[in-house]
Amino acid sequence: MAETTIPDDLDQARGEAETLTVRILELREAYYEKDAAVASDEDYDTLIHRLEAIESAFPELASQDSPTQTVGGRAQSLFDPVTHAERMLSLDNVFSTDEFVAWSAKVEKDAGRPVRYLCELKIDGLAINLRYESGVLVSAATRGDGVVGEDVTENIDLVPGIPRRLSGSGHPSLVEVRGEVFFPVAAFQELNAEQEAAGERLFANPRNAASGSLRQKAEGKNADQLRLMHARLSRLRMLVHGIGAWENPPVETQSDVYQLVATWGLPTSSHYRVTDPGAGAAGEAVEFIRYFGEHRGSVEHEIDGIVIKIDELALHAELGATSRAPRWAIAYKYPPEQVNTTLLDIRVGVGRTGRATPYAVMEPVRVAGSVVRQATLHNQDVVKAKGVLIGDTIVLRKAGDVIPEILGPVVELRDGTEREFVMPEYCPECGTRLRAMKEGDIDLRCPNAKDCPAQVRGRVEHAGSRGALDVEALGEVSAAALTQPLEPAEPPLHTEAGLFDLRVEDIFPIKVVVRDSETGMAKTNDDGSERTDTPFKRARKPKEDGEFDPAAAEFTGDEFFVPSTNAIKLIANLDKAKTAPLWRILVALSIRHVGPVAARALAGHFGSLDAIRAASREELAEVDGVGGIIADAVIAWFEVDWHQHILMRWAQAGVQFATPGHPGPGAAAAAGGVLAGLTVVATGSLDGFTREGAQEAIIAAGGKSASSVSKNTDFVAAGPGAGSKLAKAEQLGIRVLDADGFRILLTAGPEGLPPLAVAP
């Protein structure tokens, strides 16, 4: 990696550190929460290393929530949160054998003696934490932010090879088993073949397919969808690669751990090697790295590198860890696969933030397991730096084995017909002149944020996303259909201001080009033509077949054309979203840098949009999880006149901009809240509350909203479908409240509850 000079000036260093932090957090959100990688591993690692260098030179800039000190990702509200008994750390990376040998020399110096290494394959899947208590599986959770993950226990039950009860006897009272969930290569190929045959979207890679399959909810799915979900989960596999919490394990090495957990019935990999101790250990590890670098295709699952760990567990404790990675392990990352293809064209797309992004349209080619037709070129300077001409034979790779990346042209194959790319002066979507938004910016953007159809499309899709309003029928295709349809000529939405005013009759039929929301790239078919879709199809219905709404139907001969289920679902879901928790509304407004974490912090502290708008920069920045950058972005958003128009239209449509019962700015965290010091679990369908709404209400009242019932739980609010949590509460003698009792608890506290009836 190229070295660059660190700024001498503190203010200049702080500015660059803030810019790096924002970009790193954006990339983490895309990768961990959307199962989408929008930058290569190398680009991401370069940003992290640059930020580390600045923080090393200016320690006062190294806050405890810096990306250099934290693990990427966070638990999503779609799943209950699970707190790991011991942190799940990430791994530091090396990219050459020289870097690995240097790391080896350092750890052996720190250890004060020669060491033995365990070398194993780095599986390209989804990290998982299995918690067993006295041999019984009690939870399975994703990594999340390393401290809190997502509860996927129900889905893990359907993954073959993971025991609910461990074999043998003498199991520890608590042990956390860490592993990776993945699709075997053959199963992934079968899955994509079935997707293609059904005309469905193909998965980009096994890692995204595994993550997307495991992080599904059964609720709301019909019988066919459940069968499909279960079929996918049954194709997943898991391999153990370590342990978390385990007091006084009866083994001394990592390799002993693998042998022991295998006797318990847990799946372990056969692809590992333990080196001999001494001066040749690093060389044996390098040999292992080289062998699998040449034989990656011989393994049953995708790998993107090799993990090298010190085998001796005592040294793990002795060497310790940073805030994000252990010092006793390292990941060697393999360079990605490369192929040649033809650059047919360079087009420009516009995404949600207005960035004009050149992208390559290529002769389809298979690389790293999937067919690639397009690749982003980021900006006009990148096009020049790569030296590619339209018509070139180009070298393509999958950066991190995920993102298509053009390395450069094969100059020797040029025949003179190639031509240079010229960046357009005007937005291809709305005709506004493109410009850099601030001095020094390389990216050109469309400044017409309000009316540019591409930006409106991106914001509408963002509003419906899982991290915002979570509107199931409002995704990539439907957002484009509402804002940029091929047919009809007039779109149902000109801006997101009218989102909650949509009616069923406004949205059928619509035909649309399928585009990527971030880059604006038009997706293509096998023949290179733009891919189109009709998300809100009209359904035929004979005149005599039941009731219909004449206002939302067309009559042709003896048949009516009625809206599709998808159209009806969209309107119903939008109506439900009007009462979504305040933090979701904040995310849906597309305020720069305000994702779910910052939105929860703002909503929890202030309780209403009016209170947030009235707060000073200092009051905003002081909220835990917000800070100066986000505070500035929030203030700037409210200063835009057409943003006020969005708020007005949404309010008129019935969108709720306040948390019911919130006591006011700062009060939720105050000791005087009616639930201060109490832990409450909300489960099942509580009348008048969504799951997120119930959790927010508990927090707003000063209490702790927990996801599981334990002896430390004070109350359980339970509605229909409460299941095992209700049974656990009854077993532990914890007071259970219905929806009415829950409302009393939230407003009056425990003292306001009626006394329990005493059995005669």
Side-chain angles (χ1 to χ4, degrees):
M1 298 182 183
E3 296 292 332
T4 54
T5 304
I6 301 299
D8 295 325
D9 179 71
L10 175 60
D11 289 339
Q12 185 180 353
R14 178 180 287 109
E16 184 178 353
E18 290 179 347
T19 300
L20 288 166
T21 296
V22 168
R23 182 57 177 156
I24 291 167
L25 293 179
E26 289 175 347
L27 296 179
R28 282 187 176 180
E29 180 180 359
Y31 185 82
Y32 288 104
E33 298 169 33
K34 300 179 181 177
D35 298 326
V38 295
S40 70
D41 283 1
E42 290 170 286
D43 289 343
Y44 176 83
D45 290 330
T46 298
L47 296 175
I48 285 287
H49 289 312
R50 176 66 177 174
L51 184 56
E52 286 175 337
I54 292 174
E55 291 176 349
S56 176
F58 296 92
E60 59 268 44
L61 300 180
S63 64
Q64 64 181 17
D65 58 352
S66 167
T68 64
Q69 308 300 313
T70 58
V71 177
R74 54 178 172 255
Q76 293 294 291
S77 61
L78 186 66
F79 298 88
D80 288 336
V82 173
T83 301
H84 307 308
E86 184 174 304
R87 282 187 308 157
M88 289 186 73
L89 299 174
S90 185
L91 288 172
D92 287 331
N93 300 318
V94 293
F95 299 92
S96 70
T97 53
D98 287 343
E99 288 181 350
F100 164 69
V101 171
W103 173 86
S104 171
K106 183 179 185 307
V107 296
E108 293 195 11
K109 179 180 178 182
D110 292 342
R113 61 184 185 274
V115 302
R116 188 167 52 239
Y117 296 110
L118 182 144
C119 310
E120 61 189 359
L121 307 184
K122 187 174 183 296
I123 305 169
D124 195 12
L126 180 70
I128 202 77
N129 183 51
L130 306 178
R131 180 182 178 122
Y132 286 91
E133 294 181 4
S134 300
V136 177
L137 179 67
V138 295
S139 70
T142 62
R143 183 199 306 274
D145 63 2
V147 176
V148 179
E150 301 163 313
D151 187 344
V152 291
T153 311
E154 291 184 9
N155 289 349
I156 278 292
D157 278 346
L158 298 170
V159 177
I162 300 178
R164 288 288 300 183
R165 182 179 293 274
L166 299 178
S167 303
S169 60
H171 305 115
S173 59
L174 167 65
V175 63
E176 287 183 322
V177 178
R178 271 75 189 270
E180 204 82 5
V181 173
F182 61 91
F183 270 111
V185 173
F188 174 71
Q189 292 171 346
E190 290 173 1
L191 174 63
N192 260 353
E194 292 170 4
Q195 292 286 104
E196 187 171 23
E200 298 290 336
R201 176 181 63 87
L202 300 185
F203 290 101
N205 53 70
R207 189 263 171 202
N208 282 16
S211 179
S213 298
L214 191 62
R215 297 162 78 205
Q216 294 184 87
K217 296 289 281 185
E219 288 84 351
K221 286 183 167 56
N222 59 36
D224 288 338
Q225 291 170 328
L226 281 174
R227 278 193 292 271
L228 178 60
M229 173 181 167
H230 292 174
R232 287 181 183 168
L233 290 169
S234 70
R235 287 175 168 169
L236 289 171
R237 295 296 182 269
M238 179 251 189
L239 289 175
V240 173
H241 58 54
I243 55 172
W246 189 356
E247 188 175 352
N248 300 320
V251 290
E252 296 181 350
T253 67
Q254 180 81 29
S255 49
D256 288 341
V257 168
Y258 288 171
Q259 293 178 27
L260 176 58
V261 299
T263 68
W264 291 348
L266 286 160
T268 58
S269 175
S270 60
H271 302 298
Y272 74 88
R273 174 181 177 181
V274 179
T275 69
D276 292 328
E284 290 182 42
V286 169
E287 181 185 335
F288 187 89
I289 290 168
R290 287 175 175 162
Y291 176 84
F292 279 102
E294 296 170 359
H295 297 84
R296 291 169 71 175
S298 67
V299 183
E300 64 273 18
H301 52 74
E302 293 280 352
I303 65 172
D304 59 359
I306 300 296
V307 177
I308 304 100
K309 306 172 182 176
I310 293 178
D311 194 35
E312 187 180 344
L313 296 181
L315 279 176
H316 293 192
E318 184 177 323
L319 294 174
T322 67
S323 60
R324 61 181 298 273
R327 292 190 174 93
W328 43 265
I330 200 77
Y332 178 95
K333 300 295 285 290
Y334 284 128
E337 183 183 345
Q338 299 179 5
V339 296
N340 288 1
T341 188
T342 302
L343 178 59
L344 302 175
D345 197 6
I346 297 178
R347 300 172 188 166
V348 174
V350 178
R352 175 167 68 102
T353 63
R355 180 189 290 128
T357 305
Y359 64 93
V361 179
M362 301 167 292
E363 190 73 36
V365 63
R366 179 169 290 276
V367 55
S370 63
V371 175
V372 174
R373 299 177 177 86
Q374 296 175 332
T376 181
L377 288 165
H378 303 289
N379 56 58
Q380 67 275 20
D381 283 10
V382 170
V383 179
K384 291 179 182 177
K386 291 184 180 294
V388 293
L389 302 177
I390 298 170
D392 267 338
T393 297
I394 55 173
V395 181
L396 179 75
R397 71 170 178 177
K398 281 280 197 73
D401 286 343
V402 175
I403 307 168
E405 179 185 3
I406 294 173
L407 296 181
V410 183
V411 178
E412 296 80 4
L413 297 179
R414 285 178 176 165
D415 60 12
T417 62
E418 299 80 11
R419 67 186 192 279
E420 188 175 347
F421 165 72
V422 178
M423 187 73 180
E425 292 185 45
Y426 298 93
C427 174
E429 303 283 0
C430 70
T432 304
R433 184 183 289 273
L434 300 172
R435 63 180 175 87
M437 300 304 285
K438 62 182 180 181
E439 186 177 354
D441 270 2
I442 297 173
D443 292 327
L444 297 181
R445 296 178 186 265
C446 172
N448 182 23
K450 176 186 176 184
D451 298 311
C452 178
Q455 296 182 63
V456 176
R457 178 195 70 233
R459 293 197 300 271
V460 169
E461 181 186 345
H462 173 74
S465 66
R466 188 172 67 184
L469 297 176
D470 196 18
V471 177
E472 183 181 347
L474 186 55
E476 181 180 80
V477 177
S478 52
L482 294 170
T483 57
Q484 291 182 288
L486 291 174
E487 302 170 7
E490 190 68 16
L493 287 180
H494 290 279
T495 77
E496 62 269 41
L499 181 62
F500 292 97
D501 295 322
L502 285 172
R503 302 167 301 168
V504 171
E505 54 265 36
D506 294 330
I507 60 173
F508 84 98
I510 295 177
K511 185 178 181 182
V512 66
V513 173
V514 181
R515 296 178 181 273
D516 180 89
S517 61
E518 293 300 321
T519 65
M521 290 193 299
K523 300 188 178 181
T524 59
N525 299 308
D526 290 344
D527 61 2
S529 61
E530 291 183 337
R531 191 189 310 166
T532 61
D533 199 351
T534 51
F536 306 117
K537 300 180 178 72
R538 296 183 298 182
R540 267 196 187 121
K541 189 174 185 180
K543 183 177 179 181
E544 64 276 7
D545 184 17
E547 297 295 325
F548 65 93
D549 179 3
E554 298 176 14
F555 179 64
T556 304
D558 292 327
E559 290 183 316
F560 286 93
F561 288 90
V562 297
S564 67
T565 301
N566 212 31
I568 296 170
K569 180 189 293 185
L570 173 62
I571 300 305
N573 287 349
L574 284 172
D575 187 62
K576 182 180 178 182
K578 293 175 184 178
T579 55
L582 176 59
W583 72 266
R584 287 190 175 275
I585 302 294
L586 289 173
V587 176
L589 289 172
S590 285
I591 303 171
R592 187 165 172 78
H593 308 319
V594 177
V597 171
R600 280 184 179 275
L602 288 166
H605 184 86
F606 291 101
S608 72
L609 194 70
D610 286 342
I612 294 170
R613 178 164 37 192
S616 67
R617 182 187 189 277
E618 291 71 23
E619 290 170 330
L620 292 168
E622 286 174 358
V623 176
D624 186 31
V626 179
I629 295 175
I630 295 175
D632 289 338
V634 170
I635 291 170
W637 192 91
F638 280 111
E639 290 173 346
V640 178
D641 56 357
W642 59 271
H643 290 166
Q644 302 302 321
H645 180 67
I646 294 172
L647 297 179
M648 181 191 72
R649 291 280 300 276
W650 285 18
Q652 290 173 344
V655 174
Q656 179 178 283
F657 286 129
T659 301
H662 193 286
V674 295
L675 296 185
L678 299 179
T679 299
V680 182
V681 173
T683 182
S685 301
L686 288 162
D687 185 33
F689 296 91
T690 62
R691 185 180 65 182
E692 292 84 2
Q695 293 170 349
E696 293 292 333
I698 294 166
I699 295 169
K704 176 184 177 182
S705 176
S707 61
S708 58
V709 178
S710 71
K711 63 182 181 181
N712 296 320
T713 304
D714 296 291
F715 294 94
V716 172
S724 60
K725 294 179 183 178
L726 175 59
K728 184 77 174 286
E730 292 171 342
Q731 177 187 348
L732 295 174
I734 296 168
R735 185 165 183 180
V736 177
L737 306 174
D738 60 12
D740 291 335
F742 183 45
R743 290 188 186 89
I744 295 172
L745 180 69
L746 293 172
T747 55
E751 294 77 10
L753 293 171
L756 288 171
V758 179

